[in-house]
Amino acid sequence: MRTKPAIVTAPDALGRRFRTVRGLSTALVATLSDADATLQSMDDASPAKWHLAHTSWFFETFVLRDHVPGYRLFDDRWPFLFNSYYEAEGQRHARPRRGMLSRPTLDAIQEYRAAVDAALLAVLPELPQAALDLVELGCQHEQQHQELLLTDILHHFSVNPLEPAVWPGAAKVPVAMPGPIGWIAGRTGEVSTGRESGHGFAFDCEEPRHRAVLHPHALADRTVTNGEWAAFIAEGGYADPRHWLADGWAWVQANRIGAPLYWREIDGVWTRFGLDGRRPIDPAAPVTHVSLFEADAYASWAGARLPTEFEWEAAAADADPHAGNQLDAAGPVEPRPSPSGPAWFGDVWEWTGSAYRPYPGFRTAEGAVGEYNGKFMSGQFVLRGGSCATPRGHMRASYRNFFYPHQRWQFTGVRLAKDL
């Protein structure tokens, strides 16, 4: 990955940011036992303690090992355990078997985190700019893993018949169903898209800034709700192949999909499982945990389509990326009914119809950090806008998330678009 001047490079400010990010990760696992933190319910998800250790390995490897002469690894066996996918860093423990790591314990990993934190903060004032940029990259990387940690815990707990809650649910205030979707005419013609180099932190996949052509279109002024999705189910949306892409229909049939992930009908009432346990769905809240296949089928059923990532970015360019329902602290995390007016950030990641591919002129950097994004630009689709589990301050209009079309354990939802 190309590292660019960070948002904050002054060591004192960067140190405060580092402490804040690292502290949130610790807070998110405060209610977990060692057994909870060791669970791995599927290959796509990782144990909570692996997330805690991997993010520490990132700082230890790319900052301390590579930029601090004489630094000694906390444990020279652990890079094999906590490297994720960096081929340049050598062999690593197989991803599907991370749940087999009963040792090191959660307590031992917390000791590792404390040691890495102390070592990095001690040398921060003397680090060169390239290393400071890597500290910022590491903070951004850990914020990504904070969201993954939450969604992975949710999946781990969902396979337990007891369906335990991570946190008690917040008191529910009834919210009226929103009115019909309104439509916002989008920009047309040539637009600039992507992050401009030198204008704050960006991941390499957001660059270079380039021109895209937009045809007349409109975007929905809100995302699709649970109540609207229940109507899609009731009208046979999951049973009608006319609405589905061929791969999506094959996926529905092979996996017997009939509702969003974590939904279950009990005594005629749709419920969902969340980090606060199982509860009736809130019909006014954004639907979440749907795949691209489901999003595309719903759009077809509704007589619309999914937006392109460039349509979405152009519409959200002037919106405040710090606004909306995003992650601020450990506690109940779920999408909430949107306030009046368009809300572009938070609640649910919004599927686009755009393939995750490089922008014109994209280049990967030399070395291991060059593996950060580029090698995953195959077979995945772009999502925009962040979610209720995205740490506040991590988001921007140019941010490109990406998943395979069948995946839905993240907080993924749907905003419709249509041609004009």
Side-chain angles (χ1 to χ4, degrees):
M1 169 167 185
R2 293 193 307 273
T3 55
K4 298 162 282 298
I7 296 173
V8 286
T9 55
D12 55 346
L14 188 56
R16 290 193 295 272
R17 171 162 167 71
F18 176 80
R19 290 187 181 94
T20 298
V21 170
R22 300 286 280 174
L24 179 56
S25 297
T26 300
L28 292 176
V29 301
T31 64
L32 302 185
S33 68
D34 186 86
D36 292 336
T38 304
L39 290 171
Q40 183 179 24
S41 50
M42 63 172 176
D43 292 356
D44 286 336
S46 296
K49 67 181 185 182
W50 186 91
H51 287 292
L52 296 174
H54 167 70
T55 50
S56 302
W57 167 87
F58 189 98
F59 286 111
E60 184 180 47
T61 299
F62 299 124
V63 179
L64 295 174
R65 185 199 68 183
D66 290 353
H67 290 274
V68 180
Y71 176 80
R72 296 184 61 183
L73 296 178
F74 182 85
D75 189 316
D76 59 12
R77 301 169 298 172
W78 286 17
F80 177 83
L81 300 180
F82 302 125
N83 176 10
S84 54
Y85 51 70
Y86 295 89
E87 300 288 348
E89 288 297 318
Q91 296 295 311
R92 57 202 178 277
H93 186 68
R95 178 176 181 174
R97 297 182 63 80
R98 290 172 183 168
M100 302 300 292
L101 298 175
S102 60
R103 304 292 177 91
T105 65
L106 179 58
D107 285 345
I109 287 171
Q110 295 287 30
E111 291 174 7
Y112 175 43
R113 288 178 64 84
V116 169
D117 290 358
L120 191 148
L121 289 168
V123 300
L124 194 64
E126 286 78 43
L127 288 177
Q129 185 63 51
L132 294 176
D133 290 346
L134 285 166
V135 174
E136 176 62 30
L137 172 60
C139 290
Q140 298 279 343
H141 167 254
E142 183 145 350
Q143 288 180 309
Q144 290 180 313
H145 277 271
Q146 288 165 349
E147 179 157 11
L148 288 167
L149 187 152
L150 289 174
T151 53
D152 290 359
I153 291 172
L154 175 57
H155 194 274
H156 302 329
F157 279 22
S158 75
V159 301
N160 184 333
L162 298 178
E163 295 189 321
V166 177
W167 295 296
K172 299 293 183 182
V173 178
V175 176
M177 280 290 292
I181 284 175
W183 294 95
I184 303 168
R187 294 177 59 187
T188 60
E190 281 197 355
V191 297
S192 294
T193 190
R195 189 73 162 181
E196 188 170 352
S197 182
H199 285 64
F201 178 87
F203 289 112
D204 57 354
C205 64
E206 300 173 56
E207 295 185 349
R209 192 162 176 83
H210 62 286
R211 306 291 288 176
V213 176
L214 303 183
H215 299 284
H217 67 282
L219 282 79
D221 63 353
R222 60 171 175 81
T223 54
V224 174
T225 66
N226 287 322
E228 290 165 333
W229 202 274
F232 172 64
I233 297 173
E235 293 190 18
Y238 281 90
D240 189 343
R242 294 177 301 167
H243 302 307
W244 294 82
L245 298 169
D247 287 346
W249 183 246
W251 172 77
V252 164
Q253 298 298 296
N255 296 282
R256 299 181 179 180
I257 305 295
L261 185 64
Y262 307 133
W263 280 34
R264 184 190 307 159
E265 193 173 20
I266 300 176
D267 297 328
V269 175
W270 281 112
T271 67
R272 58 82 178 149
F273 179 69
L275 290 164
D276 57 353
R278 182 161 294 282
R279 291 167 174 257
I281 64 167
D282 181 345
V287 69
T288 189
H289 301 300
V290 293
S291 67
L292 174 109
F293 292 144
E294 291 166 285
D296 189 85
Y298 181 93
S300 173
W301 174 80
R305 61 171 174 83
L306 299 180
T308 71
E309 64 167 316
F310 304 130
E311 290 170 344
W312 191 99
E313 184 175 333
D318 296 327
D320 181 3
H322 295 82
N325 178 23
Q326 301 180 52
L327 181 68
D328 293 305
V333 174
E334 65 174 317
R336 298 196 296 258
S338 297
S340 59
W344 296 99
F345 295 97
D347 280 314
V348 292
W349 286 100
E350 299 174 21
W351 283 108
T352 75
S354 298
Y356 179 57
R357 292 291 294 151
Y359 288 163
F362 172 83
R363 297 288 185 273
T364 56
E366 297 295 327
V369 292
E371 299 183 51
Y372 199 90
N373 283 313
K375 70 181 186 179
F376 299 110
M377 293 175 170
S378 174
Q380 306 197 65
F381 281 78
V382 174
L383 303 98
R384 296 297 192 118
S387 81
C388 55
T390 303
R392 195 177 305 279
H394 183 63
M395 194 45 50
R396 54 200 163 269
S398 61
Y399 195 111
R400 305 173 81 199
N401 201 354
F402 50 93
F403 287 102
Y404 290 101
H406 68 280
Q407 293 175 317
R408 56 184 190 155
W409 90 109
Q410 296 300 305
F411 286 99
T412 49
V414 185
R415 184 187 299 269
L416 298 177
K418 64 180 180 179
D419 297 318
L420 294 179

